[in-house]
Amino acid sequence: MSPGAAASGRDTLMKVIVCLRPVPDPASRLFVNEDRTWIKDAELSFVTNEADTHACEAALELCERVSASRSEAGEVVVLSIGRDRAARVLREGLAMGAARAIHLADDDFEGGDEYVRARMIARAVEKDGGADVLLTGVQSDDLGGGVTGVMAAELLGWAHASVVVGVNAVEAGLRARRELEGGLIETLELATPCVLTIQLGINQPRYATLRGIMAAKKKEMKTWSRGDLGMAAGDVGSEGALCQVTEVRVPERDHRVQMLSGSPAEAAARLVEKLRLEAKVI
Amino acid sequence: MILIVAEHADDRLKPISRELAVLGRELADDLGRTLTVAILARDPASLVEECRALGPDRIVTVAGDRLEPYDPDVWTAAVEALVSEDEPAFVLAGHTSTGYDFLPRVAARTGRPLVPACIEWQRHGERVVFTRPVFNAKMHMRVTPKGEGPCFVTAAPGAFPPREPDEAGSGPPQDGGEPRLDAFDVDLSGLPVRSKRIGRESAAAGALDLGSADIIVAGGRGIREKEHFGLIDDLAEALGGAVGASRPVVDSGWRPRDYQIGSSGQTVSPRLYVAVGISGAVQHLVGMQSSRCIVAINKDADAPIFKVAHYGIVDDLFSVVPEITRTVRALKGQSPPVGSAGSGRESD
Ligand SMILES: Cc1cc2nc3c(=O)[nH]c(=O)nc-3n(C[C@H](O)[C@H](O)[C@H](O)COP(=O)(O)OP(=O)(O)OC[C@H]3O[C@@H](n4cnc5c(N)ncnc54)[C@H](O)[C@@H]3O)c2cc1C
């Protein structure tokens, strides 16, 4: 039995909680909202953050490998914050194979930054009896800060490794491969419980099968409010955020770019001429 | 005071440390504060000389065997101790595999604001407003740290380029004299070992070195399928250049890892860089934005790649790229090679 399981009196060999964040479909056209503090997102379609689907796959594979080698069950729990959008990504996680879901939903949860969400995640993990491993995606396709998982590790008092491109259970805990700059990879041994932030490309996330989708409907989904997490109104949403959003804007385009228009053949001809005669690079 | 946590490897400062010094000096001068550079290392003395050249008012060294190889728990403890001793207004680290690995822990431990991947800052009265890219750099968000006390910032690599050495005003301050040198004592030996480095290797051990290429044509996820990547090969061949790729192309297995350009791949600065179906995420731009001439082909006029491009074509890459290849070949009097992917695509 793993140290985390022993401490919490759980009988599963390995419990992995995965955070799934709903984000606007990356193909969406984005417009700034009226008060210029976020985007107009009411009409957008939302999907599971790309890195989080890799995290979910990594959790399922980790538990499958552990179960296969030690003939004890592992459990994957998916966790998400937000209203219907979050419930939808949780159902996707369940359809992929997670055992159950935790949905943090409350009107007070609107807005907020990485710190607020890290606190909520840490509270939820504790309320659910802890875990051996908490996984998040390396970064989200909306805020893209890449820090929520690391903050959650700190608030839980757990070890962590960020930008993980490989993970395996070993006697001492986990062995993780972490990506550094310039193609360098380091291998770490981590004590559990720990947090890993999962990098894109670590695996090929499985598609939910029809059977998985049907089975997901019968799986447990707990819904917890702010009160359930024992947090004050001032701790969540934009009030709990440590940074105030002053403005969201479309970046100015650098004036140096020359846009070449016309039919494909015309644009191509213009480009080649510019590259030859103006930039003199070909 | 503004505190910079320098990054180093093999007894040398990493380039990000020089960029942090640019941001740190800007903030210090504007706010009328001093600039301190912290060196966390087994033997910080070997880095002091290089840190002087960053022009700080003070250098503080933290020595300890546990500081190398890097362990986030140890760096977190050291920086937290420094911060509670010195009470800096801002603590700066790189948005790098080191900076975004330990600074969020310090921020969460102290319950103070963190601005990740900062690319710009401004003064608004008494407050400092930081800009960070959101939605994969399609939008920028300006944020103001709340409350009083230290605020943590990770600076996006490439956002605060150091001036060239021959430009005026760079280098250590001539009038300010020597920076003060302090040693900061903190006992790190008792921290539990929760993560341990047991190996280190290069993922892209392949032979492809794009660093010396004059011309690079790089394809991104916009190519959609492995079979279409021949479009990129053809244009590269016509131009006499090399082929590169963004990360999703490599993650999907369309091209090997050593084709990847960006923060976790190769850094290039060719004479000509053609980005095809690449959106221009920060991690990609870091690897190619110093190219002399950048061409972007993307169907989305708002794609951030156009922010660094010199020439842009907003259109479907599948119609434009073959036209460019044809034009270049006609110009050079080349004929398309037999069995090129350009002809292959006509059959699908
Ligand atoms: C720690 C870390 C390290 C990373 N390191 C790297 C790195 O080294 N290199 C790297 O590249 N990325 C890296 N990334 C990933 C990076 O954040 C982006 O996800 C990635 O660069 C996006 O690649 P892309 O532009 O090809 O794909 P996308 O962002 O999906 O963009 C595809 C583009 O193609 C355009 N397009 C689609 N169809 C067409 C068409 N028919 N015609 C014309 N245009 C079309 C779209 O408009 C879009 O702009 C890293 C991420 C993290 C978190």
Side-chain angles (χ1 to χ4, degrees), chain A residues 159-171:
Chain A
H160 85 272
S162 60
V163 203
V164 167
V165 292
V167 55
N168 250 311
V170 292
E171 202 50 55

Side-chain angles (χ1 to χ4, degrees), chain B residues 103-118:
Chain B
L103 208 62
R105 284 200 89 114
V106 188
R109 192 170 291 183
T110 54
R112 293 294 306 149
L114 170 73
V115 181
C118 171

Side-chain angles (χ1 to χ4, degrees), chain A residues 23-32 37-39 50 113-115 138-148 150-163 165 175 177-193 199-204 237-254 256-269 271-276 278-282, chain B residues 7 14 70 72-73 76 95-98 100-102 104-117 120 124 129 131-147 151 154 193-204 215 221 239 247-248 251-253 257 260 262-266 271-272 274 283 289 291-295 297 300-303 306-316 319-320 323-324 327-328 331-332:
Chain A
V23 293
D25 185 325
S28 321
R29 282 214 70 183
L30 305 178
F31 298 95
V32 178
T37 55
W38 196 235
I39 53 158
E50 186 182 4
D113 60 5
E114 290 97 341
Y115 178 70
V138 65
Q139 61 176 44
S140 64
D141 289 325
D142 53 1
L143 279 183
V147 298
T148 308
V150 179
M151 286 184 166
E154 175 61 32
L155 297 171
L156 285 161
W158 295 4
H160 85 272
S162 60
V163 203
V165 292
R175 185 167 292 180
R177 284 157 50 79
R178 165 162 204 259
E179 184 180 279
L180 311 176
E181 280 76 15
L184 274 182
I185 305 280
E186 69 177 12
T187 306
L188 299 172
E189 238 164 45
L190 285 130
T192 50
Q199 171 65 306
L200 303 164
I202 181 179
N203 51 34
Q204 296 290 337
S238 24
E239 240 193 285
L242 297 178
C243 281
Q244 186 183 349
V245 178
T246 320
E247 188 187 16
V248 171
R249 60 200 332 242
V250 180
E252 288 123 40
R253 187 180 284 162
D254 203 319
R256 73 181 185 184
V257 65
Q258 290 186 45
M259 289 298 191
L260 308 173
S261 52
S263 69
E266 286 162 359
L271 174 67
V272 171
E273 189 181 286
K274 294 268 184 197
L275 294 179
R276 268 182 62 214
E278 197 175 79
K280 300 194 170 71
V281 289
I282 59 171
Chain B
E7 272 189 46
K14 289 199 197 168
Y70 165 80
D73 287 339
T76 300
H95 197 65
T96 60
S97 62
T98 306
Y100 57 58
D101 196 61
F102 79 88
R105 284 200 89 114
V106 188
R109 192 170 291 183
T110 54
R112 293 294 306 149
L114 170 73
V115 181
E120 210 177 76
H124 276 206
V129 179
T131 304
R132 55 183 285 196
V134 292
F135 296 102
N136 290 315
K138 280 194 200 163
M139 293 276 171
H140 284 174
M141 186 160 95
R142 293 188 167 158
V143 297
T144 316
K146 294 182 191 169
C151 165
T154 60
V193 182
R194 302 194 294 184
S195 69
K196 200 165 80 196
R197 181 194 289 173
I198 56 169
R200 201 170 149 97
E201 91 234 35
S202 177
I215 295 180
R221 179 145 51 186
L239 287 166
R247 177 170 191 121
D251 284 346
S252 310
R257 185 61 64 189
Q260 184 179 313
S263 65
S264 49
Q266 303 200 41
R271 182 168 83 217
L272 172 62
V274 186
Q283 294 92 352
Q289 62 194 357
S291 305
R292 197 163 106 209
C293 176
I294 298 171
V295 175
I297 298 156
D300 175 6
D302 296 329
F306 290 120
K307 274 198 40 133
V308 301
H310 302 85
Y311 301 105
I313 298 178
V314 178
D315 206 339
D316 181 12
S319 2
V320 176
E323 287 297 342
I324 303 173
T327 313
V328 173
L331 183 76
K332 296 192 172 175

Side-chain angles (χ1 to χ4, degrees), chain A residues 70-185:
Chain A
R70 302 189 212 166
S71 68
E72 280 174 89
E75 183 189 39
V76 175
V77 181
V78 283
L79 168 72
S80 187
I81 307 172
R83 277 177 284 193
D84 300 352
R85 291 164 189 162
R88 237 170 294 135
V89 304
L90 286 173
R91 272 193 291 274
E92 272 176 40
L94 293 174
M96 278 175 79
R100 57 189 179 85
I102 301 171
H103 182 196
L104 308 184
D106 199 307
D107 288 347
D108 293 348
F109 293 165
E110 285 297 301
D113 60 5
E114 290 97 341
Y115 178 70
V116 167
R117 283 193 279 273
R119 284 183 84 177
M120 294 170 63
I121 291 165
R123 283 294 175 100
V125 169
E126 278 162 358
K127 187 176 164 65
D128 198 55
D132 297 294
V133 187
L134 173 69
L135 299 184
T136 69
V138 65
Q139 61 176 44
S140 64
D141 289 325
D142 53 1
L143 279 183
V147 298
T148 308
V150 179
M151 286 184 166
E154 175 61 32
L155 297 171
L156 285 161
W158 295 4
H160 85 272
S162 60
V163 203
V164 167
V165 292
V167 55
N168 250 311
V170 292
E171 202 50 55
L174 292 183
R175 185 167 292 180
R177 284 157 50 79
R178 165 162 204 259
E179 184 180 279
L180 311 176
E181 280 76 15
L184 274 182
I185 305 280

Side-chain angles (χ1 to χ4, degrees), chain A residues 43-61:
Chain A
E43 310 284 290
L44 299 179
S45 72
F46 276 68
V47 297
T48 307
N49 182 53
E50 186 182 4
D52 302 355
T53 64
H54 289 280
C56 192
E57 176 66 33
L60 293 167
E61 288 179 11

